[in-house]
Amino acid sequence: MRIAVLALQGDFAEHEAIFHRLHIETLQLRQKQDLALKFDALVLPGGESTVQGKLLRELDMFDEIRSRIRNGLPVMATCAGTILLAQQLLDNPTVHLGTLGISVRRNAYGRQLSSFYTVGKFAGIKDVPMSFIRAPQIEFCTPGVEVLSEHNGRITAVRQGKQLAMTFHPELGTDCRIAEYFLSEMF
Ligand code: GLN
């Protein structure tokens, strides 16, 4: 089992550290050639979706990653990664990979509350640490998208087929349970 982490920008190292705690091998996708390496799942980290989307296109990695996700490659996305997957970005004509049936509003928590930490429930798992950092909000889901977590009435994690996406960062810290959930549900 090898997990590829998109390593163009953002907190990919933190995702790798979580999988290493679980003794799972990771590799970094930094350029088109890296897509020829063998891997079983993909992580789209947090960071800046605009930059990540631009680099994916400039480095000519975009089409292949999109078609692999469409063909069922398991993918776990956090924050900016979730924005990359979303079918629609509200207030913004841009769509990146567009493989996940959600409409997302970027930086939806406003300036005051743009970053905060809480613990919450995720797919029946209790007391999961959740860091929200200039987080987007998932405002609509298409049928077939399952809601896995909510905070104050706002959807914070969803799943559709082999795509798992959340608006918070579960990878900041040492709690590995969301990564374990991903592995157990996808394989
Ligand atoms: N606000 C960022 C964006 O629009 C996402 C922030 C994050 O990934 N923590 O891409």
Side-chain angles (χ1 to χ4, degrees):
M1 158 83 61
R2 286 218 291 181
I3 310 276
V5 181
L6 186 69
L8 303 179
Q9 189 271 341
D11 76 333
F12 51 88
E14 285 78 0
H15 279 281
E16 288 187 284
I18 291 286
F19 283 105
H20 294 165
R21 290 178 83 86
L22 298 171
H23 307 289
I24 302 283
E25 201 184 329
T26 61
L27 62 89
Q28 297 185 353
L29 301 180
R30 292 179 169 275
Q31 53 186 340
K32 191 177 168 74
Q33 294 92 291
D34 297 335
L35 292 168
L37 301 168
K38 201 179 143 15
F39 56 87
D40 307 288
L42 173 65
V43 171
L44 300 176
E48 193 51 52
S49 56
T50 317
V51 177
Q52 294 178 1
K54 186 168 179 278
L55 288 171
L56 275 176
R57 290 173 177 90
E58 282 176 9
L59 296 166
D60 194 21
M61 299 168 79
F62 187 92
D63 289 345
E64 183 165 346
I65 287 182
R66 185 175 55 184
S67 86
R68 289 218 208 170
I69 296 171
R70 281 183 179 155
N71 290 328
L73 175 70
V75 56
M76 181 168 98
T78 65
C79 208
T82 296
I83 297 169
L84 289 185
L85 290 181
Q87 227 166 57
Q88 187 187 23
L89 306 187
L90 299 164
D91 296 335
N92 194 326
T94 315
V95 173
H96 298 287
L97 298 165
T99 52
L100 180 61
I102 54 172
S103 299
V104 159
R105 193 177 302 280
R106 294 179 62 207
N107 303 315
Y109 289 83
R111 286 187 181 194
Q112 291 276 320
L113 278 178
S114 58
S115 302
F116 62 98
Y117 171 84
T118 187
V119 291
K121 202 165 146 195
F122 171 98
I125 308 169
K126 286 188 188 143
D127 300 323
V128 177
M130 299 175 173
S131 297
F132 291 82
I133 304 171
R134 292 183 299 108
Q137 186 177 343
I138 299 170
E139 297 207 359
F140 307 103
C141 299
T142 59
V145 174
E146 185 188 349
V147 174
L148 300 179
S149 183
E150 286 180 70
H151 177 257
N152 287 347
R154 293 175 162 189
I155 299 168
T156 54
V158 297
R159 173 182 178 177
Q160 182 179 25
K162 300 274 182 192
Q163 300 180 75
L164 174 63
M166 56 217 94
T167 59
F168 56 91
H169 293 271
E171 71 281 10
L172 304 178
T174 54
D175 194 309
C176 302
R177 288 175 296 163
I178 290 189
E180 281 176 318
Y181 170 90
F182 176 64
L183 296 173
S184 70
E185 289 289 318
M186 300 299 168
F187 296 100

